[in-house]
Amino acid sequence: MEKKETDTENKELIFFKHLSSFALKLEKASDEHEIFQDIADKIKERYPASYIIISVITPQDNSYNIHILKGIGKLRQAIETLIGKDIFSIKFPLSQISTDNLRLNSNGQLNKIDGGIYTLALESIPKSIAGSIEKMLGINQVYTMGLALDSCNFGNLTIFCKKECVFSTTDITFIETLSVISSIALQKIRIHQRVHLEREKMDRILQVVPVGIGLLIDRIFQDVNDRVCEITGYS
């Protein structure tokens, strides 16, 4: 009994160590691609008998595009020959995603896809070709979940599992927690980007207006335009 309790404690300790190190790594991430790459690397490291795809939403054409592809290696060329196009050029329009799939993308859970690649690809890949790809890769199960936080959807995480890759409840919790940590990091980067853009816009406004404008906090100038410097004679 004591040994079982010790084994459980050790597994939980390893679980939290992995999550802590991942969170610390994302704290240093400087762009979204780096975060997507990190989550794919972490899942592949923990579950080597898996393939990971991360798709992101492209606002310009309102569709999902494959952004990260992990683990396929040399088989990519054979798969692209089967589907007749570059994997990274495939677009999955949001307008074609069913209400059920949209719900799955936003429920914060790792969901098993019974229809495999055919269903996942919104039936845009013929069923026979989807089956051939699954056989080529040795895929046994397909899981997917949205990378989302509050009402903001950053993309989608898909995991193709080989027969030897079986997810326990702990594994599912681990992946779902990774998703939350990643989504928080993605939101942080987007907020910083918006603040930076607003700052640049404000700087441009300050420089073109013909009057002196400055920002004071506690009666101390924090920022001014060139006109204030000309009026006061101070740099």
Side-chain angles (χ1 to χ4, degrees):
M1 190 67 162
E2 289 181 0
K3 187 179 185 303
K4 285 186 178 180
E5 290 178 354
T6 302
D7 289 343
T8 301
E9 289 175 359
N10 288 338
K11 287 180 181 179
E12 289 179 352
L13 183 61
I14 292 171
F15 177 86
F16 285 113
K17 279 186 175 179
H18 274 285
L19 290 177
S20 297
S21 64
F22 184 70
L24 288 172
K25 186 172 185 180
L26 290 194
E27 185 68 26
K28 301 174 183 176
S30 58
D31 60 55
E32 292 189 14
H33 178 78
E34 188 177 348
I35 293 173
F36 292 132
Q37 189 66 63
D38 285 344
I39 190 172
D41 289 345
K42 177 57 71 174
I43 294 173
K44 183 64 177 175
E45 173 192 326
R46 190 171 174 89
Y47 309 104
S50 68
Y51 308 99
I52 297 95
I53 291 178
I54 294 180
S55 304
V56 299
I57 296 175
T58 307
Q60 292 85 346
D61 50 24
N62 205 32
S63 66
Y64 277 106
N65 295 72
I66 294 175
H67 193 68
I68 299 289
L69 187 61
K70 190 77 178 177
I72 291 177
K74 295 179 180 178
L75 291 174
R76 176 183 165 185
Q77 186 174 354
I79 293 171
E80 290 180 339
T81 300
L82 278 174
I83 61 179
K85 61 179 69 175
D86 176 10
I87 291 175
F88 290 98
S89 71
I90 301 175
K91 298 181 185 297
F92 304 100
L94 293 176
S95 59
Q96 294 181 16
I97 299 177
S98 67
T99 303
D100 286 342
N101 282 341
L102 287 173
R103 178 181 55 79
L104 291 178
N105 277 350
S106 60
N107 67 6
Q109 298 175 2
L110 186 66
N111 307 283
K112 183 180 174 183
I113 302 298
D114 293 327
I117 291 176
Y118 178 68
T119 300
L120 190 69
L122 307 178
E123 302 179 4
S124 62
I125 297 175
K127 188 175 286 188
S128 59
I129 292 179
S132 297
I133 294 172
E134 289 176 1
K135 188 175 181 180
M136 184 188 303
L137 296 175
I139 295 171
N140 185 49
Q141 302 288 353
V142 178
Y143 293 88
T144 186
M145 73 177 298
L147 296 172
L149 193 66
D150 300 326
S151 59
C152 189
N153 193 332
F154 304 103
N156 185 269
L157 166 67
T158 301
I159 305 174
F160 298 142
C161 296
K162 297 182 183 179
K163 191 174 182 180
E164 60 268 34
C165 179
V166 179
F167 289 152
S168 66
T169 303
T170 301
D171 293 321
I172 291 173
T173 301
F174 178 79
I175 294 168
E176 289 175 349
T177 308
L178 284 184
S179 171
V180 172
I181 293 171
S182 300
S183 297
I184 291 171
L186 287 164
Q187 187 180 63
K188 180 180 176 182
I189 283 178
R190 290 196 178 182
I191 290 172
H192 284 174
Q193 288 173 342
R194 285 200 297 270
V195 170
H196 180 70
L197 288 173
E198 288 298 320
R199 172 72 187 194
E200 285 187 335
K201 184 165 67 174
M202 183 58 67
D203 284 345
R204 288 196 296 270
I205 292 172
L206 286 174
Q207 295 311 316
V208 297
V209 294
V211 296
I213 297 178
L215 170 66
L216 287 86
I217 297 179
D218 293 333
R219 302 186 66 183
I220 297 175
F221 276 113
Q222 304 296 321
D223 197 8
V224 297
N225 64 355
D226 290 344
R227 183 58 179 151
V228 171
C229 298
E230 294 171 4
I231 293 169
T232 63
Y234 290 99
S235 61

